[in-house]
Amino acid sequence: MEDSAAPGAGSPPANGNGNGNGNGGGKGKQAAPKGREAFRSQRRESESSVDCPTLEFEYGDADGHAAELSELYSYTENLEFTTNRRCFEEDFKTQVQGKEWLELEEDAQKAYVMGLLDRLEVVSRDQRLKVARAVLYLAQGTFGECDSEVDVLHWSRYNCFLLYQMGTFSAFLELLHMEIDNSQACSSALRKPAISIADSTELRVLLSVMYLMVENIRLERETDSCGWRTARETFRTELSFSMHNEEPFALLLFSMVTKFCSGLAPHFPIKKVLLLLWKVVMFTLGGFEHLQALKVQKRAELGLPPLAEDSIQVVKSMRAASPPSYTLDLGESQLAPPPSKLRGRRGSRRQLLTKQDSLDIYNERDLFKTEEPTTEEEEESAGDGERTLDGELDLLEQDPLVPPPPSQAPLSAERVAFPKGLPWAPKVRQKDIEHFLELSRNKFIGFTLGQDTDTLVGLPRPIHESVKTLKQVSRVGSSGIGSYQDKLDHQGLSTGEEVVPETPCEILYQGMLYSLPQYMIALLKILLAAAPTSKAKTDSINILADVLPEEMPVTVLQSMKLGIDVNRHKEIIVKSISALLLLLLKHFKLNHIYQFEYVSQHLVFANCIPLILKFFNQNILSYITAKNSISVLDYPCCTIQDLPELTTESLEAGDNNQFCWRNLFSCINLLRLLNKLTKWKHSRTMMLVVFKSAPILKRALKVKQAMLQLYVLKLLKIQTKYLGRQWRKSNMKTMSAIYQKVRHRMNDDWAYGNDIDARPWDFQAEECTLRANIEAFNSRRYDRPQDSEFSPVDNCLQSVLGQRLDLPEDFHYSYEIWLEREVFSQPICWEELLQNH
């Protein structure tokens, strides 16, 4: 998609209900030709994207090791590899004679690193930078002495473990604190009209060393020695907990993000900060596989049954759906009878089957083959929704959203072929069983029994069988674990014994608690600035400070290279933020449900939902298959061989991959994030309806990747009952895909929701109730005053006497002596005691 789309709408949508110019199709005669032209271009897009092959994508915590290291550097920084090497060789020759780094024994290497750390403490800023570059060259794998990319990665990992064992990370942490507090650099950057990579040289060197150490040590391999495994666990502990009365490292990086977004430090290399923050959170809290293990462990601790299936494995075994063939749909739609005749048919079973097949063919008519008034109406509807998204995203820091009443946006369906058999076991919540029994008791008995699901007296036999079936498929998910944990916390409070385990997740939440709204707003602001559909604004955040060179390009070739570098830079920022937010939500949800709800609510208040929808309001297939990379300039390839002369053909070729891993990874993360924010939240689901998300999400189904399609269908499923009968009728293939792909919930009337469930919701009441519960939880657990003169005093004699006091182990041996000395031998003047009080 071109970046020169209309300012209010980002890139034009790839399909269906959306326009790039923001004009309603039916508002005037002049708007109609533009609308028709837009739809012709979208039709060509649709034709070209229908043949998308199945994407062989394996979802995981991160990309391959080499890819994750290469994304740390922008192509503008490539010249600095030579600078780092020169600084190391100049220093190394003064300390070691006649040998290279790889020829030294381990003890000699450690001695040299100790000397480097000593020279880091000099007063001269330039000298410190040279030594830091020498350390960075070691962390990059001493590529000047290597013959292949494999050797570079091997020695980079070896050197990073060596640097950590010698205390390099702690030394660089002190230097990072100095650079963050460097007011001179901040004021100098604020005065400059244009900021370039030269303004963040020291910070980039420090963050690069720390990122390489975290990423290399985080990577686990079976061949790792026992010493390396021990070093990894020690490093994880240092990053997780407060060491030497300092905050956890992740909180320092969060503070850098907020300082950057506030405009006080525009020179911060925000891409490196976000990448390091993501990898530190992943290293300290654990990735997705570790999360699954924690979930199993927590269920066992709470006495819950083990998980029946592993979600990650189920998704991996699913097959992607096939988008419709454009020419086939055209041919079939011409044969379809009019709907009025279809409705009037009556007859045998064969006639009914014929009627259903014809109806499905009619509903598969291509979007661009519809009548002209329908086209203009859809264009106007999508344009209104797009303008709504743009308006909401201008108010990132304002109050929660109160959306207007929803309107329906009919959209024709696509043919989707799915394998037979349902991949998921059906599921039901305890709350659903309680609701079913409440309705049954009101109907047959006339009163309810609250949360009692065992007493079935007076209910008909079919109700007994229904309850039995529901209990057989009842499961407690992650949110159920949190709710169960909250009940246990309340029980602990009633006995005065609430114990909060000091886990890395709990410590991170405590540190983030009071600044969490600012953290979430800052991350979403950067995500908005990096989204490809965002329009350029004068007051938007400049996220390109660590990619723009000092001298702007003067040739077409240099401009093309910089354009690729800028697009790649934005993609990496989106990838790191989406993965970071998803990890935080999943860990907080497992740790305590109200921690998850607190983060979720602040994301919603900061307009995260319209932001994600705006991100997907583009040609997602083009975004996922984008070639914003130059393989010969990627690390470590660029360090081994001499850089060839770049040509227009080599820049346009990109890599040979079928798709861009990081972009598909980002899209799946954002969809999962949107699912977590809206699941079981009716007010937020209505926001999806109000912002016309159905056509936007349906366009994403063109990407043939099972995991992405699954989360798109989940988002469509939760809002189908609010979209109306006409939408469901026009999208029967999508409804069938939801039935085939998404887990079934008993008693869930998603496919035929009645008018009572689709009534306008009180948006504020649900969020306010949740917010009150969250504030009560945070106040109860984290706002307890300790050793304060304003602490409450217990005046109840029985309560005071009933308190347990910690006594020394040998107290019972000397109890009688203590009693004689402190009580019996001390004269007490009761009259004076009473007079004084």
Side-chain angles (χ1 to χ4, degrees):
M1 267 308 137
E2 295 86 355
D3 290 333
S4 58
S11 301
N15 192 352
N17 290 355
N19 65 339
N21 55 17
N23 294 326
K27 297 208 174 176
K29 294 182 179 179
Q30 295 179 351
K34 293 182 180 179
R36 296 190 191 106
E37 183 62 31
F39 265 73
R40 289 192 189 100
S41 64
Q42 291 168 358
R43 175 174 177 169
R44 288 192 295 270
E45 276 183 17
S46 178
E47 290 176 351
S48 62
S49 63
V50 160
D51 298 330
C52 168
T54 300
L55 304 183
E56 300 297 331
F57 172 81
E58 185 173 352
Y59 186 80
D61 292 327
D63 202 352
H65 184 53
E68 292 295 331
L69 294 183
S70 69
E71 289 179 353
L72 176 65
Y73 311 102
S74 63
Y75 297 146
T76 312
E77 294 178 89
N78 277 11
L79 296 176
E80 298 188 10
F81 285 113
T82 306
T83 307
N84 299 337
R85 178 179 177 179
R86 186 180 67 251
C87 291
F88 171 81
E89 291 176 347
E90 290 175 357
D91 185 271
F92 190 74
K93 289 178 182 178
T94 62
Q95 305 297 323
V96 181
Q97 301 295 330
K99 286 188 176 183
E100 292 185 342
W101 170 260
L102 300 185
E103 297 174 353
L104 295 180
E105 299 291 336
E106 184 177 355
D107 291 338
Q109 291 175 340
K110 289 182 177 179
Y112 175 72
V113 171
M114 286 297 295
L116 278 178
L117 297 182
D118 290 339
R119 291 188 287 280
L120 268 180
E121 300 178 2
V122 297
V123 178
S124 172
R125 183 181 178 87
D126 294 336
Q127 190 63 31
R128 278 205 313 268
L129 179 60
K130 288 184 178 180
V131 177
R133 285 191 178 278
V135 176
L136 176 56
Y137 176 72
L138 286 175
Q140 288 171 341
T142 53
F143 47 82
E145 304 174 27
C146 297
D147 299 325
S148 66
E149 297 178 23
V150 176
D151 289 343
V152 174
L153 296 177
H154 169 77
W155 286 109
S156 173
R157 195 158 180 264
Y158 171 85
N159 292 342
C160 283
F161 272 100
L162 182 68
L163 290 171
Y164 170 70
Q165 291 167 351
M166 302 311 296
T168 306
F169 192 87
S170 301
F172 271 66
L173 183 58
E174 294 179 5
L175 294 177
L176 182 62
H177 277 285
M178 291 172 54
E179 288 298 328
I180 293 174
D181 298 333
N182 188 351
S183 58
Q184 181 179 355
C186 294
S187 59
S188 174
L190 288 171
R191 288 195 300 267
K192 287 188 176 182
I195 303 175
S196 66
I197 60 172
D199 299 295
S200 60
T201 302
E202 290 82 2
L203 277 170
R204 285 187 294 106
V205 170
L206 297 177
L207 291 170
S208 296
V209 172
M210 301 173 93
Y211 178 86
L212 288 171
M213 292 181 68
V214 170
E215 181 63 15
N216 278 302
I217 296 176
R218 182 188 69 84
L219 181 65
E220 298 183 16
R221 287 181 177 163
E222 295 180 357
T223 56
D224 290 346
S225 65
C226 184
W228 280 18
R229 297 177 191 271
T230 304
R232 179 183 299 114
E233 295 306 317
T234 305
F235 192 29
R236 179 185 283 116
T237 303
E238 288 181 3
L239 294 177
S240 303
F241 299 96
S242 302
M243 306 297 290
H244 310 296
N245 296 324
E246 292 183 356
E247 59 186 4
F249 183 53
L251 294 180
L252 176 65
L253 298 175
F254 268 118
S255 66
M256 292 184 68
V257 173
T258 54
K259 191 172 182 180
F260 171 81
C261 285
S262 65
L264 299 176
H267 65 296
F268 279 4
I270 196 61
K271 184 191 78 172
K272 287 181 168 55
V273 174
L274 290 170
L275 281 173
L276 181 55
L277 176 57
W278 168 38
K279 292 303 174 62
V280 167
V281 170
M282 186 194 302
F283 184 34
T284 55
L285 302 188
F288 296 125
E289 291 185 2
H290 182 67
L291 258 170
Q292 189 72 12
L294 287 177
K295 192 181 297 184
V296 172
Q297 177 185 345
K298 191 133 189 177
R299 294 180 71 91
E301 292 174 355
L302 297 176
L304 297 172
L307 290 169
E309 56 199 2
D310 186 347
S311 301
I312 299 177
Q313 298 304 320
V314 173
V315 173
K316 284 182 179 179
S317 64
M318 294 173 68
R319 289 167 51 192
S322 299
S325 172
Y326 184 79
T327 55
L328 178 64
D329 280 353
L330 268 179
E332 290 180 343
S333 63
Q334 292 171 355
L335 299 175
S340 58
K341 294 183 179 180
L342 289 173
R343 292 194 198 99
R345 291 183 184 176
R346 295 288 184 272
S348 64
R349 175 179 176 82
R350 183 169 184 176
Q351 288 176 324
L352 289 174
L353 290 175
T354 306
K355 167 190 171 182
Q356 183 61 49
D357 291 341
S358 301
L359 182 60
D360 288 344
I361 293 173
Y362 173 76
N363 287 330
E364 287 172 24
R365 291 179 61 194
D366 190 79
L367 179 65
F368 310 112
K369 193 68 178 175
T370 53
E371 300 296 330
E372 194 68 31
T374 307
T375 300
E376 294 179 357
E377 179 183 352
E378 289 180 350
E379 186 182 87
E380 178 182 356
S381 174
D384 293 340
E386 205 166 80
R387 287 193 295 273
T388 307
L389 285 177
D390 289 327
E392 295 299 339
L393 293 176
D394 291 338
L395 307 173
L396 261 181
E397 297 187 32
Q398 293 198 4
D399 293 335
L401 299 171
V402 185
S407 60
Q408 298 176 357
L411 190 69
S412 65
E414 299 173 350
R415 175 192 297 276
V416 188
F418 288 95
K420 294 182 179 180
L422 301 178
W424 304 96
K427 197 173 181 180
V428 68
R429 297 180 300 168
Q430 184 69 18
K431 184 178 180 181
D432 298 327
I433 301 178
E434 295 170 3
H435 180 65
F436 173 74
L437 279 174
E438 181 181 359
L439 295 177
S440 301
R441 286 167 178 154
N442 279 328
K443 179 178 180 180
F444 293 105
I445 304 176
F447 62 89
T448 61
L449 298 177
Q451 297 181 348
D452 183 2
T453 58
D454 297 325
T455 305
L456 303 178
V457 178
L459 296 176
R461 189 66 186 171
I463 301 297
H464 288 232
E465 296 296 330
S466 300
V467 173
K468 180 181 178 181
T469 304
L470 290 175
K471 287 186 176 181
Q472 286 176 349
V473 297
S474 177
R475 300 288 186 272
V476 179
S478 298
S479 58
I481 292 176
S483 303
Y484 191 74
Q485 183 69 45
D486 191 53
K487 292 180 182 178
L488 294 182
D489 290 346
H490 279 288
Q491 294 173 6
L493 274 181
S494 63
T495 59
E497 298 179 355
E498 183 182 13
V499 179
V500 181
E502 291 292 318
T503 61
C505 185
E506 182 65 33
I507 290 174
L508 179 62
Y509 180 79
Q510 291 181 19
M512 294 176 62
L513 179 60
Y514 298 107
S515 300
L516 194 139
Q518 289 81 6
Y519 295 155
M520 296 302 107
I521 289 173
L523 289 175
L524 293 184
K525 278 186 172 182
I526 300 173
L527 182 61
L528 176 62
T533 54
S534 294
K535 54 189 177 182
K537 295 183 181 178
T538 55
D539 58 342
S540 62
I541 301 173
N542 179 18
I543 59 173
L544 305 178
D546 52 335
V547 69
L548 295 179
E550 288 187 85
E551 298 180 0
M552 296 305 290
V554 293
T555 66
V556 175
L557 196 62
Q558 291 175 346
S559 299
M560 290 178 62
K561 176 186 171 184
L562 182 59
I564 293 174
D565 204 5
V566 167
N567 290 335
R568 174 177 177 268
H569 180 81
K570 291 181 177 181
E571 291 171 0
I572 296 170
I573 288 178
V574 172
K575 169 188 172 183
S576 57
I577 293 179
S578 63
L580 171 65
L581 289 175
L582 182 61
L583 265 183
L584 288 176
L585 284 180
K586 289 184 73 69
H587 276 284
F588 287 150
K589 188 173 187 178
L590 188 60
N591 196 53
H592 199 289
I593 188 63
Y594 282 138
Q595 294 177 353
F596 162 79
E597 296 291 1
Y598 187 53
V599 178
S600 299
Q601 196 163 65
H602 279 293
L603 285 173
V604 173
F605 291 165
N607 289 330
C608 184
I609 292 177
L611 170 55
I612 295 177
L613 293 177
K614 182 177 177 64
F615 179 88
F616 279 92
N617 195 19
Q618 59 171 315
N619 189 337
I620 288 296
L621 192 58
S622 298
Y623 181 73
I624 287 174
T625 56
K627 303 289 186 181
N628 290 316
S629 62
I630 308 172
S631 55
V632 294
L633 298 183
D634 284 334
Y635 172 88
C637 178
C638 64
T639 62
I640 293 299
Q641 56 190 15
D642 295 333
L643 296 181
E645 184 177 353
L646 294 178
T647 62
T648 305
E649 290 76 15
S650 63
L651 290 179
E652 291 178 346
D655 53 33
N656 297 322
N657 293 329
Q658 185 185 24
F659 57 91
C660 179
W661 195 97
R662 62 173 167 266
N663 288 353
L664 184 50
F665 179 71
S666 301
C667 290
I668 293 176
N669 287 339
L670 290 173
L671 288 171
R672 297 184 72 184
L673 188 62
L674 196 55
N675 267 285
K676 289 197 171 298
L677 294 180
T678 55
K679 189 175 182 180
W680 306 119
K681 303 290 190 302
H682 297 100
S683 59
R684 300 176 192 175
T685 302
M686 292 298 290
M687 290 172 64
L688 293 178
V689 180
V690 168
F691 292 130
K692 307 284 194 301
S693 67
I696 295 174
L697 293 171
K698 271 200 63 182
R699 286 198 295 270
L701 290 175
K702 289 182 177 293
V703 181
K704 289 185 64 176
Q705 205 285 320
M707 194 170 190
L708 183 139
Q709 290 180 344
L710 171 66
Y711 287 105
V712 169
L713 293 173
K714 279 187 174 185
L715 288 167
L716 288 171
K717 176 184 177 180
I718 61 176
Q719 53 179 317
T720 49
K721 67 170 68 175
Y722 308 114
L723 294 175
R725 183 180 302 173
Q726 181 60 39
W727 188 92
R728 296 196 291 270
K729 176 184 173 183
S730 303
N731 293 274
M732 289 305 297
K733 289 300 179 182
T734 303
M735 300 288 285
S736 177
I738 293 172
Y739 179 88
Q740 290 282 347
K741 285 278 189 180
V742 184
R743 185 195 299 276
H744 285 261
R745 297 274 180 175
M746 299 293 188
N747 296 348
D748 186 6
D749 57 347
W750 65 272
Y752 54 92
N754 51 38
D755 294 334
I756 297 177
D757 291 332
R759 68 184 183 273
W761 227 273
D762 183 359
F763 299 101
Q764 292 289 338
E766 188 180 44
E767 295 291 345
C768 288
T769 302
L770 180 60
R771 190 171 191 174
N773 293 336
I774 294 170
E775 289 178 352
F777 162 76
N778 286 332
S779 177
R780 181 186 80 224
R781 181 178 275 197
Y782 304 112
D783 291 346
R784 291 173 293 183
Q786 297 179 353
D787 300 329
S788 170
E789 59 178 322
F790 300 107
S791 300
V793 178
D794 192 350
N795 295 319
C796 178
L797 179 62
Q798 291 182 344
S799 176
V800 172
L801 293 177
Q803 292 180 0
R804 294 180 60 87
L805 299 177
D806 294 329
L807 300 173
E809 295 180 0
D810 59 344
F811 179 76
H812 64 279
Y813 295 114
S814 57
Y815 172 70
E816 294 182 356
I817 300 175
W818 176 85
L819 197 62
E820 180 66 32
R821 183 180 69 247
E822 300 293 337
V823 180
F824 299 146
S825 63
Q826 296 292 333
I828 300 176
C829 183
W830 297 102
E831 291 81 2
E832 184 178 349
L833 186 64
L834 293 174
Q835 289 176 2
N836 292 337
H837 289 76

